[in-house]
Amino acid sequence: MHGALLKKLVLTSLGMFAFAFALVPLYDVFCQMTGLNGKPSLAVAQASQQIDIERFVDVSFTTHAQQGAPFSVQAEHFKVTIQPGEITKVAFSATNLSQEARVMQAIPSVSPGIASKYLHKMACFCFNQQPMEAGQHQTFELMFYLDTALPYEIEELTLSYTLFDITEQSQQLVLETPIEPVFSMENSDE
């Protein structure tokens, strides 16, 4: 009797363990199908070839720092009104609020999520880690456009950046990366 119960408990535990591993891919598929989550591509886009002069879309910008991340980043303009296909530049002011050098990583998201596949970034501070000295103030540029295939019902969207302090992770990566010699001093047989 206890053997059957034990078998059921072990199978249930294994099933729960397997389900936990499947959650991330299932969530990604769910987000793709529903347009939720708004993860924009981090690939550098090519320039737009046409502009839809018949309509305008409002694009708002928000930023917030992860708890404990000592960064302040704000867009030069809270909102811009653009035409799909029009290449737009927006400046962002960033400050390291700490008393030591830190490394910032900005992670973008788009709302509504379905609009994320129509937002194309040609230049963005989110593409790379941003080392900043203590108290340093820096200006970053975002250059983007909205695809002309953007659905007509989307008249406004928000591009949001979450700022992370990745100083420790970037230092660990440097320590773990093996250094390979650029050239060899050995004699070669010619």
Side-chain angles (χ1 to χ4, degrees):
M1 182 165 202
H2 292 300
L5 179 61
L6 181 61
K7 185 177 180 180
K8 286 181 183 179
L9 288 173
V10 168
L11 288 174
T12 301
S13 297
L14 289 173
M16 291 170 50
F17 188 73
F19 184 71
F21 273 105
L23 275 179
V24 172
L26 288 174
Y27 180 73
D28 287 341
V29 169
F30 175 77
C31 290
Q32 275 185 325
M33 290 173 51
T34 62
L36 294 175
N37 200 14
K39 293 181 185 177
S41 170
L42 291 179
V44 177
Q46 298 297 314
S48 173
Q49 299 302 315
Q50 63 185 44
I51 297 175
D52 183 350
I53 59 172
E54 299 295 317
R55 63 185 180 140
F56 292 89
V57 179
D58 290 333
V59 180
S60 301
F61 305 97
T62 65
T63 60
H64 64 281
Q66 175 200 30
Q67 185 175 1
F71 305 108
S72 172
V73 178
Q74 291 184 332
E76 182 180 81
H77 302 286
F78 170 72
K79 179 170 69 172
V80 294
T81 301
I82 63 173
Q83 295 176 299
E86 173 186 8
I87 297 173
T88 304
K89 293 180 183 179
V90 176
F92 283 79
S93 297
T95 305
N96 176 357
L97 303 172
S98 75
Q99 300 301 316
E100 54 189 50
R102 310 302 294 171
V103 179
M104 177 183 76
Q105 179 70 57
I107 304 297
S109 65
V110 177
S111 179
I114 191 113
S116 65
K117 64 182 176 182
Y118 302 100
L119 176 73
H120 304 289
K121 293 186 284 297
M122 300 167 67
C124 182
F125 59 97
C126 63
F127 290 158
N128 302 307
Q129 299 174 356
Q130 302 297 335
M132 298 180 73
E133 295 299 321
Q136 182 181 5
H137 179 77
Q138 212 169 333
T139 300
F140 297 114
E141 183 177 83
L142 165 66
M143 186 166 48
F144 74 100
Y145 67 93
L146 296 174
D147 198 305
T148 55
L150 179 74
Y152 278 86
E153 61 269 12
I154 299 176
E155 297 176 352
E156 61 183 331
L157 60 96
T158 301
L159 176 56
S160 177
Y161 289 100
T162 302
L163 311 170
F164 291 90
D165 182 355
I166 60 164
T167 306
E168 282 75 29
Q169 294 90 333
S170 63
Q171 289 172 346
Q172 187 65 30
L173 182 62
V174 168
L175 293 174
E176 292 175 357
T177 304
I179 300 174
E180 297 181 19
V182 176
F183 61 91
S184 175
M185 298 296 285
E186 297 176 14
N187 292 334
S188 61
D189 296 332
E190 293 184 23

